[in-house]
Amino acid sequence: MDAHAPPPSKCSENVGRYRVAVDIGGTFTDVACLSPTGELVTRKVPSTPDDYARAVLDGLTAAAAAMGLKGRDFSEVLHASTVATNAVLEGKGAVTALITTAGFRDVLELRRIRVPRLYEPLYVKPPPLAPRRLRFEVTERMGPRGEVITPLDVEALTRLASEIAPSAVEAVALCFLHSYANPSHEAQAAEILRRLLPDRFISVSSEILPEIREYERSSTTVINAYIGPPVARYLRSLQARLSQAGVVGRLLMMQSSGGVIDVERVIAKPAHVVESGPAAGVIGAAQLASAAGYRDLITFDMGGTTAKASLVEDGKVVSADDYEVGGGISLSSRLAKGGGYALKLPVIDVSEVGAGGGSIVWIDPAGALKVGPKSAGAAPGPACYDAGGSAPTVTDANVVLGYLNPVALAGGAVPINTEKAHAALREHIAVPLGCDVLDAAYGVHRLANSNMMRAVKAVSIYRGRDPREFVLFAFGGNGGVHAAALARELDMRTVVVPLAAGVFSAVGLLYADFEAARSAAFLKPVLSTDPAELEAVFTRMEAEVLAELDGAEPAVLTWKADLRYGGQAFELPIELTRGVIGQAELQALCARFEREHVRTYGHALGSAVHFVTLRAIGSVAPAVGKRLKLSAATSVQPTSRQVYFGPHGGLVETPVIDRASLSVEPRRGPLVIEEAEGATVVPPDALAALDGFGNIVMTLGAVG
């Protein structure tokens, strides 16, 4: 883990066999390099928002130098980035047109007639990514069973393409009614558009999302078009920069579903990487926690800009395909819709809020303390970075409380000015509120936890799960600092902080499967379905999946179905027994659906169960061990400092140690465990120990 460790010997014997992962965050870019023998070296460097590729190269260069490697030694570069998400959030995507069936021009405007804020009658929804002046209608019509009602007007489409050609439009989304049932009109139109508009990005709904629901399919297709050009520019630039640096290994990118795929496929269908960054840490948590014996987790990833939570049950990540991006909170909850743009693609069920170390602390006109969502980011950063930032942040509060190193963070890469942190909190928070600086800082810490609790509840309580039955698995640069206090608020007893926690999303990339998936609409009652027809659809999708995996072996193939009761508006995903399709399996499928319905909603209807969507997923696991080897981990000279644990805990002289100073024998808090990428705060009423895999395990409330 220590990037300053001496280079391994005889690295020439493993030329081209090293794998490196890079995760770009709003404040830091994390790098994790894994050797063929399982040795891990990490780096954390400031992100470069003006050119994210620069930070990627900085981190790769630093990690390579630490291991005595050159660019040619990396066989794979795995990447997670927020470039797609940011294009939507910041409104900096391509100028996008939508071509749709006559009469359906305003589907994007109408949406689902839902608003996220019940008592805000003047709420204004975000504007469609394809403005009305760039939404065009073409005469054609398919029926819901795929029957042609009105043929495609080819001449009108050709004239429309000629009108678009001289305009500023960079991308065109194509979405015809019921194309999931019969894509022939879309395929014909796509061929015409690609021939007449060869320099424009063309996004076709039947290629992106061949499923029911007109608004969600239109929105997803438009998102794919809107982010297509900026994602392509970024990835092409990154490919060129890597090539110039001598990195010849293949570049893979994390998908929102948790698998990695070749960047050429990402450029073709960029909507699949909108939530690329948050997925990586959850995948790593599921893999490494399961190996250590923790199968039921709530992952808590707190970085510099956002905090994210997800659920892992019985060692498996929880996925969803009903997501919204661009609202105040990105999540898949059916209880909070209308605040963003619908993205109906498989995503790891991650709930994300704008609360991180760089979140700015402020006081609203009514005199109430607020944290975020605006962030100081990488530049100018928190006040304590002494890089031009003057607004107080959560990081400044944690420095004042003694939770963070008062001299430097990120292994010495980020110097800390403690006086600037005190001054910012005193001037902007403590004096206006008439309180002590320590109490102001502790109030900020608790308020940040309260904000982040929304994310944890969204993936647990709002899904019918009791967080007390789970372990809080904390990572990210600030995860270990806030984990204990957050767990206590939720009455959770156990917190696990993994090795390399501060760069864990990058580590998670190294454990992600090479993955491809296909879906198809299939609207039939389960028990009256012909098993042969069902198997034929899965077999066709499997062939497409295997082709996308380029024959990689051994591929694990999975069949899933989205099911609902007749008349319901939403589905639940249920796994089928692959290759065993008969009446017995269909009846067992209905039983599994009813059990999940009871678990999620608390009741079963007992009526007929219907298929809605079929999915075939193929994955190839990387050849990587589940036990990390740290390369000469940085040691911290044991010391102590004053740490404030609130009005009840007080200001306590607290030991500051490194991870290696812990053992399997529990040690009583208070403790601050410092590492190159972050810190872990152990409160006075907790015990901390190391498990057999090097994870810090905190037991809360264990000390009387």
Side-chain angles (χ1 to χ4, degrees), residues 180 210-211 518-523 537 540-541 612-616:
Y180 59 85
E211 301 177 23
R518 288 292 184 274
S519 65
F522 193 83
L523 304 170
V537 176
R540 173 182 59 79
M541 292 192 296
V612 177
T613 306
L614 306 181
R615 305 184 189 280

Side-chain angles (χ1 to χ4, degrees), residues 5 110 409 425 452 517 520 553 583 609 616 622 648:
L110 296 172
L409 303 178
L425 278 164
M452 293 183 291
E553 294 289 345
Q583 284 302 319
V609 179
H648 298 294

Side-chain angles (χ1 to χ4, degrees), residues 317-347:
V317 299
V318 176
S319 298
D321 67 346
D322 192 18
Y323 203 80
E324 280 195 359
V325 62
I329 176 173
S330 293
L331 78 170
S332 63
S333 172
R334 299 175 184 123
L335 302 177
K337 288 293 184 187
Y341 303 102
L343 181 71
K344 194 170 172 31
L345 289 173
V347 298

Side-chain angles (χ1 to χ4, degrees), residues 173-488:
L174 182 64
C175 187
F176 289 159
L177 189 68
H178 299 310
S179 63
Y180 59 85
N182 183 346
S184 61
H185 282 182
E186 278 195 357
Q188 186 181 4
E191 189 277 327
I192 293 170
L193 293 174
R194 285 169 174 151
R195 175 167 48 83
L196 298 178
L197 303 172
D199 58 339
R200 312 299 166 89
F201 184 91
I202 308 298
S203 175
V204 184
S205 80
S206 54
E207 297 175 0
I208 304 298
L209 186 67
E211 301 177 23
I212 66 168
R213 295 203 173 90
E214 200 63 21
Y215 164 60
E216 284 80 2
R217 187 158 53 87
S218 298
S219 177
T220 302
T221 307
V222 168
I223 289 174
N224 192 70
Y226 185 75
I227 65 177
V231 168
R233 284 193 294 268
Y234 167 71
L235 290 177
R236 294 295 185 211
S237 171
L238 181 58
Q239 283 178 310
R241 298 279 284 273
L242 289 172
S243 179
Q244 292 167 7
V247 179
V248 296
R250 65 174 180 169
L251 179 60
L252 303 174
M253 194 164 184
M254 171 65 77
Q255 302 176 89
S256 308
S257 62
V260 295
I261 202 73
D262 186 89
V263 290
E264 294 302 324
R265 301 192 189 278
V266 172
I267 289 170
K269 298 179 181 179
H272 286 275
V273 301
V274 166
E275 288 297 312
S276 137
V282 182
I283 291 297
Q287 295 276 355
L288 294 170
S290 292
Y294 312 106
R295 308 260 320 157
D296 295 310
L297 319 168
I298 294 176
T299 67
F300 169 58
D301 175 7
M302 183 181 177
T305 307
T306 60
K308 299 164 278 288
S310 189
L311 203 71
V312 175
E313 291 187 284
D314 194 26
K316 297 180 180 179
V317 299
V318 176
S319 298
D321 67 346
D322 192 18
Y323 203 80
E324 280 195 359
V325 62
I329 176 173
S330 293
L331 78 170
S332 63
S333 172
R334 299 175 184 123
L335 302 177
K337 288 293 184 187
Y341 303 102
L343 181 71
K344 194 170 172 31
L345 289 173
V347 298
I348 289 183
D349 193 353
V350 175
S351 178
E352 183 173 5
V353 295
S359 294
I360 292 174
V361 185
W362 52 289
I363 298 175
D364 72 8
L369 185 66
K370 300 288 184 180
V371 172
K374 189 176 179 181
S375 173
C384 63
Y385 284 11
D386 204 5
S390 58
T393 66
V394 173
T395 292
D396 293 305
N398 288 333
V399 167
V400 169
L401 293 169
Y403 298 162
L404 296 178
N405 190 297
V407 177
L409 303 178
V414 181
I416 293 297
N417 187 324
T418 305
E419 289 305 315
K420 288 285 182 72
H422 277 82
L425 278 164
R426 183 182 303 109
E427 177 185 350
H428 295 281
I429 306 300
V431 171
L433 293 181
C435 64
D436 179 80
V437 173
L438 274 178
D439 288 329
Y442 191 72
V444 169
H445 183 82
R446 290 201 63 188
L447 184 56
N449 288 339
S450 177
N451 289 348
M452 293 183 291
M453 200 183 308
R454 295 169 54 211
V456 175
K457 287 182 176 180
V459 299
S460 57
I461 294 172
Y462 301 162
R463 299 283 189 279
R465 272 62 168 177
D466 186 343
R468 293 173 296 183
E469 298 174 359
F470 293 78
V471 168
L472 188 67
F473 195 87
F475 51 92
N478 294 287
V481 175
H482 287 259
L486 182 61
R488 181 184 289 112

